[in-house]
Amino acid sequence: MIESIAPVLGIEPAQLVKDTDAEERYVKSGDFVKRAMYEAVVRTLTEYEGRINDLEGQLRLANERAAKDQTELGKLHMELSRVTHEYERVRDDHRLLLASSRDDRAALTRAITEIASLQAKLNILGEELGSTKQSARVAAILAGVAAFSGVVTVASLLKKDTPDPTTDEEDNDDE
C-alpha cells in the first residue's frame, strides 16, 4: 500500500513512513517478496508444471509406441528368420533336384545308347532272318522282345541310380 500511495504523493515510500510505527515494518518488508513478484513466480511455476505434465504425457506415449514398435520388430525378426529358413530349405531342395536331374540325364543317355546298340543288333538279326526266309512271326516276336528289352533297360538303369526302398537289395541283384 505504501508503495502504491507514495508515487501519487510524489515522495519516496520510505519518507511516507518516516518517524512512524510503520517505519520499522516497512524496512522489514524489504526482506519479503513483493506480491506482484510472488504472483509472477507462481504463474511461471504453474506454466512450467503444465509444460512438464504435457512433456511427461508425450514421453509416456513415445514409450508406449516404442514398446509396440519393439514388439512389431520382434515379430518381423521372427518372420525374417522363418523366411530365411524356408529359403535355405528350398535352395537345398533345388540343389538336390539339379543333382538328381543330372543323374537322370546320365541314366537316360546310357539307356539311349544301349537301345541304339540293341536296335542295331536287331537290324542285323532281321537281315539274317530275311536272308534265311524264316517266318514273319519270328521276326515280329524278336521285334517285341527288342522293344520290351529297351523299356526294361531304361527302367533298370533308372532303378540302379535311385534304389527303390520297397524292394530288397537281393531283388535288385536278380534283375
Side-chain angles (χ1 to χ4, degrees):
M1 292 287 284
I2 292 171
E3 289 185 2
S4 300
I5 296 171
V8 172
L9 298 174
I11 59 173
E12 291 293 320
Q15 288 176 336
L16 186 62
V17 290
K18 189 174 182 179
D19 296 328
T20 66
D21 63 339
E23 181 178 14
E24 185 180 328
R25 285 184 297 188
Y26 179 74
V27 171
K28 286 183 182 178
S29 72
D31 295 338
F32 298 132
V33 175
K34 305 247 184 242
R35 184 175 223 44
M37 183 175 273
Y38 170 78
E39 289 173 354
V41 168
V42 168
R43 269 193 311 274
T44 303
L45 285 175
T46 303
E47 288 174 14
Y48 285 154
E49 284 178 2
R51 287 177 61 192
I52 287 171
N53 288 336
D54 289 344
L55 291 173
E56 284 175 345
Q58 291 175 7
L59 181 61
R60 188 173 39 259
L61 288 174
N63 283 334
E64 289 171 3
R65 278 190 298 238
K68 287 178 184 177
D69 290 346
Q70 188 69 26
T71 301
E72 185 64 25
L73 182 62
K75 289 177 185 176
L76 289 173
H77 182 70
M78 288 174 49
E79 179 66 13
L80 177 62
S81 293
R82 187 192 65 75
V83 168
T84 300
H85 290 301
E86 179 69 15
Y87 166 77
E88 290 171 354
R89 188 189 62 77
V90 168
R91 185 189 62 207
D92 292 343
D93 289 350
H94 180 257
R95 286 181 182 158
L96 290 173
L97 284 174
L98 284 177
S100 175
S101 175
R102 281 190 293 268
D103 294 344
D104 291 347
R105 278 186 264 157
L108 285 174
T109 302
R110 285 191 306 270
I112 290 170
T113 304
E114 288 187 23
I115 289 171
S117 172
L118 284 173
Q119 283 177 338
K121 289 177 183 178
L122 281 175
N123 287 337
I124 294 170
L125 185 58
E127 289 174 10
E128 287 181 16
L129 279 177
S131 67
T132 60
K133 302 204 188 256
Q134 292 293 324
S135 75
R137 185 167 165 32
V138 171
I141 290 172
L142 286 175
V145 168
F148 180 73
S149 68
V151 171
V152 170
T153 302
V154 170
S156 67
L157 286 173
L158 288 174
K159 193 170 187 178
K160 286 179 189 173
D161 289 341
T162 55
D164 185 1
T166 60
T167 61
D168 294 327
E169 285 189 45
E170 295 173 9
D171 293 342
N172 289 340
D173 293 340
D174 294 340
E175 295 180 77

